[in-house]
Amino acid sequence: MSEILADKSVLIVVKKLDELGVLRTLFSSLGSQDISVASSANMALNMLRMRTYDFCVLESELGDYDKNGFQVIEEAAREGLKPASSAFLLITAESPRSLPKDSIEFAADTFIAKPIDTAKLKLRMEKLVKLKRAVFPVESPVDSGEFEKALQLIPRLIAKYASLEVYL
């Protein structure tokens, strides 16, 4: 059993109960004991207003009469509910290549296509956790408004992890 999410909080936003069960089981198996769920966009936004989550996993389509996952991410970013140190993962029925490319602050950190392959999602989460750990020294000052400090740290981080240059 992997413990990569042992100290991490997760918000899962999906409409279907069977998918919710699969995702809750997966994130539990990755070590998270702090899992919250929302079945609508408005419920998710209200939960994000109450607290910060390390990971927010959203389904792109939340119903015909509800906002979609992209809109939740955009609204969260506009309201300051999407800190740099959090990660947003969007579950979509489409290929990630066909998804719209919005500005970075309104985009998901990663995508996964349906049907959900738990092995692929687990691997994606492991990579995302490693990425977030690596860039934490830069994202933490960004979240606290210390942009100059973050900018000064970027060259050192790139020297240590050259492949992060594209991300930073």
Side-chain angles (χ1 to χ4, degrees):
M1 179 155 101
S2 179
E3 295 292 323
I4 62 166
L5 298 179
D7 60 341
K8 306 295 182 197
S9 58
V10 179
L11 173 61
I12 301 171
V13 187
V14 294
K15 269 290 194 210
K16 296 179 183 167
L17 288 176
D18 58 332
E19 290 178 5
L20 173 63
V22 168
L23 291 169
R24 184 185 278 274
T25 300
L26 174 71
F27 286 103
S28 291
S29 74
L30 293 174
S32 181
Q33 295 181 8
D34 185 1
I35 301 172
S36 300
V37 297
S39 59
S40 72
N42 287 333
M43 183 186 288
L45 287 165
N46 284 332
M47 294 174 82
L48 288 167
R49 287 179 189 116
M50 290 189 288
R51 69 175 282 203
T52 300
Y53 291 89
D54 297 304
F55 295 94
C56 184
V57 181
L58 301 117
E59 189 171 27
S60 61
E61 294 303 319
L62 295 170
D64 293 336
Y65 304 104
D66 202 356
K67 296 173 187 165
N68 64 38
F70 292 103
Q71 291 168 315
V72 172
I73 294 170
E74 182 175 351
E75 198 166 321
R78 288 189 194 282
E79 290 186 32
L81 307 173
K82 186 181 182 268
S85 55
S86 291
F88 281 65
L89 181 143
L90 194 69
I91 300 168
T92 180
E94 305 158 26
S95 162
R97 290 187 239 291
S98 66
L99 294 172
K101 306 294 185 256
D102 274 340
S103 65
I104 290 176
E105 72 248 36
F106 299 145
D109 292 281
T110 191
F111 299 87
I112 191 150
K114 286 183 178 181
I116 298 169
D117 177 340
T118 55
K120 190 174 182 179
L121 180 56
K122 180 181 176 185
L123 182 61
R124 183 77 47 91
M125 289 306 300
E126 288 172 347
K127 288 181 178 180
L128 197 51
V129 167
K130 288 178 184 175
L131 172 66
K132 287 298 188 176
R133 280 186 190 140
V135 299
F136 182 79
V138 170
E139 289 182 337
S140 181
V142 168
D143 286 344
S144 60
E146 300 175 76
F147 302 111
E148 286 298 321
K149 181 178 179 182
L151 287 171
Q152 292 171 359
L153 292 169
I154 289 173
R156 281 189 260 161
L157 199 58
I158 291 172
K160 187 173 181 182
Y161 305 106
S163 61
L164 288 179
E165 187 169 5
V166 174
Y167 182 82
L168 297 169

